[in-house]
Amino acid sequence: MPAFNSVAVIGAGAWGTALAAVAARAGRSVTLWARNVEHAARIASTRDNPRLPGVRIAPEIVVTSDLAKSARADMLLIATPAQHLRGAVNMLASHLTRPVPIVACAKGIEHGTHKFMTDVIAEAAPHAQPAILSGPSFADDVARGLPTAVTLAAKDEALASNLVQALGSPTFRPYHSTDIRGVEIGGAAKNVLAIAVGIAVGRKLGASAQAALTTRGFAELTRLGRALGARSETITGLSGLGDLILTCSSLQSRNFALGLALGRGEQPPAGRLAEGEFTAPVLIELAASQNVEMPVSEAVASILSGRSTIDAAISGLMTRPFKAEE
Ligand SMILES: NC(=O)C1=CN([C@@H]2O[C@H](COP(=O)(O)OP(=O)(O)OC[C@H]3O[C@@H](n4cnc5c(N)ncnc54)[C@H](OP(=O)(O)O)[C@@H]3O)[C@@H](O)[C@H]2O)C=CC1
Ligand SMILES: O=C(CO)COP(=O)(O)O
């Protein structure tokens, strides 16, 4: 298996910028690609990205809008929003000259197709080796070099392990896995569940409700995982329970913050990506197609679409028939 000396990060948002810092700290030669020429030039000269304010971008990271140049890297990380991942990989595919690993770093499920991120990569770039990186990791924490642990999964264990070697450092600890689907489910579902918990906190429903909702959210994430063949250690691992705990308990989370604003009856913060908003409708479609009950996620989707008020959704959850805990 070849060593991965060079890394290109596609998408210069908060997460892409943090991941470029990760790869640079791990000793890789790093390119950060931004789709907008002026945006790339501005980041390259100021070493500052307004999407991740206050974090200085290391001088050795090359910031560019040249996709052909980025595509020559030994491995690629895609850090666009989930619904734009296909578009980004489509553009990239024509520049790929060999079967490189493409690591999805977005958390979500594609609208319309119900496909997870690595399936989208496999379709858009059939010769690539798809992988997924996910886990409890705020871009700001990661960029600042605070200790973080995530899961990195690929079909081939040796590949997953080599990708971990390429990105790991004393402050960024990826664990390798071959359970791609398990990792993808956790990352997608936890954003929806974090909106639910944010709503409960915004509504001042109390710490007991926050714990109950997080736990019942985990129960439905587990049910979906089981239906789609995820391994239980993945669901209880960093990319599942780990990321759920982080996102359902922190004001730093944009998904939690969206829920918080809704619960308070305020206008949600503008211009901040909250993937759960886009994942909610497709998550419940997917769950329905698998006959999996996800009442908390359904409540979030109903509130976001205007089909239900917050109070009706809370009452709906609390008055479901009593049942055995599973
Ligand atoms: N922020 C975080 O803490 C973490 C985020 N993630 C995940 O990473 C993904 C990206 O999030 P994040 O970086 O925070 O989001 P941001 O909103 O900060 O940035 C998104 C970036 O994607 C770029 N982009 C959008 N569409 C395209 C496209 N079609 N082609 C290329 N680039 C595109 C945007 O470019 P432009 O600037 O030109 O609009 C922007 O730079 C999400 O799925 C998120 O869940 C995962 C872990 C942590
Ligand atoms: O995925 C994340 C942390 O692991 C980031 O969460 P938010 O997108 O809710 O900010």
Side-chain angles (χ1 to χ4, degrees):
M1 179 107 25
F4 301 121
N5 294 318
S6 55
V7 174
V9 182
I10 305 302
W15 192 219
T17 304
L19 288 168
V22 161
R25 273 186 213 123
R28 308 283 75 80
S29 128
V30 183
T31 304
L32 175 61
W33 179 83
R35 63 176 168 173
N36 180 291
V37 182
E38 285 100 53
H39 191 185
R42 201 174 338 112
I43 299 172
S45 68
T46 60
R47 312 311 292 177
D48 171 74
N49 185 347
R51 290 196 182 271
L52 193 59
V55 169
R56 188 158 175 75
I57 297 170
E60 61 270 24
I61 296 172
V62 175
V63 185
T64 182
S65 56
D66 182 341
L67 194 57
K69 181 176 171 184
S70 308
R72 288 197 284 272
D74 297 331
M75 61 183 277
L76 297 150
L77 306 182
I78 313 289
T80 65
Q83 304 306 325
H84 295 280
L85 184 132
R86 186 184 291 273
V89 179
N90 274 340
M91 282 194 298
L92 196 56
S94 59
H95 297 288
L96 297 177
T97 52
R98 60 210 157 100
V100 282
I102 300 186
V103 185
C105 302
K107 296 176 178 173
I109 307 168
E110 192 177 52
H111 279 207
T113 64
H114 295 177
K115 293 210 185 271
F116 286 95
M117 299 294 101
T118 58
D119 297 325
V120 174
I121 292 173
E123 270 185 17
H127 301 299
Q129 299 167 294
I132 176 96
L133 182 154
S134 194
S137 47
F138 287 128
D140 194 70
D141 295 350
V142 170
R144 290 175 198 282
L146 299 179
T148 319
V150 298
T151 309
L152 202 168
K155 199 166 150 194
D156 176 45
E157 189 168 11
L159 172 63
S161 171
N162 276 11
L163 293 170
V164 161
Q165 292 297 329
L167 294 178
S169 71
T171 55
F172 188 77
R173 185 169 175 77
Y175 286 78
H176 68 80
S177 166
T178 54
D179 185 9
I180 290 180
R181 185 61 83 241
V183 173
E184 291 179 309
I185 291 166
K190 66 89 191 174
N191 283 332
V192 179
L193 300 167
I195 296 175
V197 178
I199 290 172
V201 174
R203 258 305 194 257
K204 293 196 169 36
L205 299 188
S208 307
Q210 185 173 356
L213 207 45
T214 307
T215 309
R216 292 314 299 165
F218 180 63
E220 62 185 56
L221 190 164
T222 304
R223 278 199 293 274
L224 182 66
R226 220 179 274 139
L228 296 179
R231 282 186 219 137
S232 62
E233 64 266 31
T234 312
I235 297 298
T236 55
L238 290 161
S239 58
L241 183 59
D243 211 357
L244 183 74
I245 291 173
L246 177 78
T247 321
C248 290
S249 65
S250 172
L251 280 170
Q252 244 176 294
S253 158
R254 296 162 298 183
N255 288 285
F256 183 92
L258 168 63
L260 193 75
L262 293 173
R264 287 176 175 162
E266 294 169 358
Q267 204 57 29
R272 291 181 85 200
L273 175 70
E275 285 282 26
E277 191 179 351
F278 304 101
T279 306
V282 63
L283 179 69
I284 60 161
E285 282 168 21
L286 179 63
S289 74
Q290 299 293 318
N291 289 319
V292 170
E293 270 197 310
M294 299 192 78
V296 178
S297 303
E298 273 175 35
V300 170
S302 298
I303 292 167
L304 291 174
S305 67
R307 280 181 280 120
S308 172
T309 63
I310 290 176
D311 292 334
I314 294 166
S315 155
L317 285 173
M318 288 305 289
T319 56
R320 280 163 52 80
F322 298 122
K323 55 182 244 184
E325 189 174 34
E326 39 69 51

